[in-house]
């Protein structure tokens, strides 16, 4: 038996047999090209999505575990289980969680990648899958940062990087939602909240990454 919770921005699967919690988002793509670049070929689209999926897997999956316990016999398969947590993006043609506009751009083009929570869209550049150096010290994958926004995480960088709001985490520059690439336990608050609302009879203990 496994459990599924469907939301408008992600689906959550609990698979006791594998001891896994899977966070899956369905993405539909609009492939856009800026002149003088050629339109995306199918092979280019396939490679881009595959690399994006690999980045999510490598940077988000299996980085921590969630321990569950309960005295409710109805959920005995969730008692005393240490779950690994996996993240996945699925390329779909309809019924997406997110509409993703990927712009084929020239290298070093100053592109404003962003996530729009209101219409559930993501705007990305074709080069957002590569590392960039911020502040001459911190490395970050822009795509990785933008994925963090799909889990409803706010910007954490300071006003010198264009953030109009003051973040309490603006000095934590190695953090992914700042200008670094490191995960923090606060990035999983939405998932923790969803699990607790979905299955209040079960206790889920999330780790403290920092």
């Amino acid at each position: 038996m496994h459990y599924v919770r469907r939301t408008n921005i992600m689906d959550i699967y609990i698979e006791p047999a594998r001891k896994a919690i899977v966070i899956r988002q369905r993405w539909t793509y609009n492939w856009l090209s800026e002149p003088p670049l050629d339109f995306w070929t199918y092979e280019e689209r396939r490679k881009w999505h595959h690399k994006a999926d690999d980045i999510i897997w490598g940077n988000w999956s299996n980085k921590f575990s969630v321990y569950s316990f309960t005295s409710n016999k109805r959920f005995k398969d969730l008692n005393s289980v240490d779950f690994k947590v996996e993240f996945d993006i699925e390329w779909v043609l309809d019924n997406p969680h997110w509409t993703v506009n990927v712009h084929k751009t020239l290298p070093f083009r100053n592109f404003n990648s962003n996530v729009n929570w209101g219409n559930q869209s993501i705007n990305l550049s074709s080069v957002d899958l590569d590392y960039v150096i911020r502040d001459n010290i911190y490395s970050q994958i822009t795509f990785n940062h933008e994925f963090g926004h799909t889990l409803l995480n706010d910007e954490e960088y300071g006003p010198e990087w264009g953030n109009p709001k003051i973040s309490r985490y603006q000095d934590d520059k190695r953090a992914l939602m700042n200008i670094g690439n490191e995960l923090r336990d606060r990035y999983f608050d939405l998932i923790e909240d969803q699990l607790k609302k979905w299955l209040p009879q079960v206790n889920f203990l999330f780790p403290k990454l920092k």
Side-chain angles (χ1 to χ4, degrees):
M1 177 179 179
H2 65 275
Y3 305 81
V4 182
R5 178 173 176 81
R6 304 193 185 280
T7 79
N8 65 324
I9 60 171
M10 64 183 177
D11 293 335
I12 304 174
Y13 299 80
I14 302 178
E15 303 177 13
R18 287 205 309 124
K19 297 184 178 181
I21 295 174
V22 182
I23 311 301
R24 178 168 293 127
Q25 294 182 349
R26 297 187 306 276
W27 288 17
T28 190
Y29 288 101
N30 292 318
W31 302 97
L32 308 169
S33 297
E34 296 186 355
L37 299 176
D38 294 332
F39 189 69
W40 293 81
T41 66
Y42 176 75
E43 184 64 14
E44 286 175 327
R45 286 179 264 176
R46 188 190 67 80
K47 287 183 177 180
W48 196 95
H49 172 79
H50 183 72
K51 184 175 180 180
D53 199 28
D54 283 349
I55 288 172
I56 297 304
W57 181 266
N59 286 269
W60 290 81
S61 294
N62 300 312
K63 298 303 181 183
F64 65 95
S65 60
V66 173
Y67 182 74
S68 69
F69 63 95
T70 180
S71 59
N72 191 314
K73 293 183 179 180
R74 179 185 171 193
F75 301 103
K76 61 182 180 180
D77 56 347
L78 300 181
N79 186 40
S80 299
V81 183
D82 201 27
F83 285 99
K84 59 186 176 182
V85 182
E86 301 172 350
F87 292 81
D88 177 56
I89 53 174
E90 180 183 6
W91 182 356
V92 300
L93 299 180
D94 53 31
N95 194 30
H97 293 113
W98 296 92
T99 298
V100 185
N101 304 304
V102 188
H103 299 253
K104 185 188 282 190
T105 63
L106 293 168
F108 309 111
R109 153 95 150 77
N110 186 19
F111 186 86
N112 181 28
S113 303
N114 62 83
V115 172
N116 187 317
W117 293 329
N119 62 14
Q120 292 177 223
S121 66
I122 307 171
N123 297 290
L124 299 167
S125 165
S126 54
V127 299
D128 281 345
L129 304 183
D130 300 325
Y131 275 99
V132 294
I133 303 300
R134 312 236 189 249
D135 214 16
N136 298 316
I137 300 175
Y138 307 100
S139 61
Q140 183 181 75
I141 301 174
T142 301
F143 170 79
N144 203 21
H145 173 95
E146 298 304 332
F147 179 77
H149 287 311
T150 71
L151 301 178
L152 306 188
N153 291 297
D154 287 322
E155 303 287 16
E156 295 180 352
Y157 48 75
E160 69 274 19
W161 290 94
N163 190 359
K165 300 179 181 179
I166 302 299
S167 170
R168 62 186 292 193
Y169 303 111
Q170 66 180 20
D171 293 330
D172 185 11
K173 293 190 175 182
R174 294 189 182 279
L176 176 62
M177 301 314 296
N178 202 305
I179 60 174
N181 212 54
E182 296 180 1
L183 296 180
R184 298 291 184 258
D185 58 276
R186 58 184 178 267
Y187 299 160
F188 307 104
D189 286 351
L190 174 67
I191 298 168
E192 183 175 7
D193 182 63
Q194 287 289 327
L195 288 173
K196 290 179 176 179
K197 288 180 178 177
W198 173 24
L199 297 170
Q201 308 91 335
V202 182
N203 296 286
F204 293 95
L205 298 182
F206 276 64
K208 296 297 181 183
L209 300 182
K210 185 171 181 180

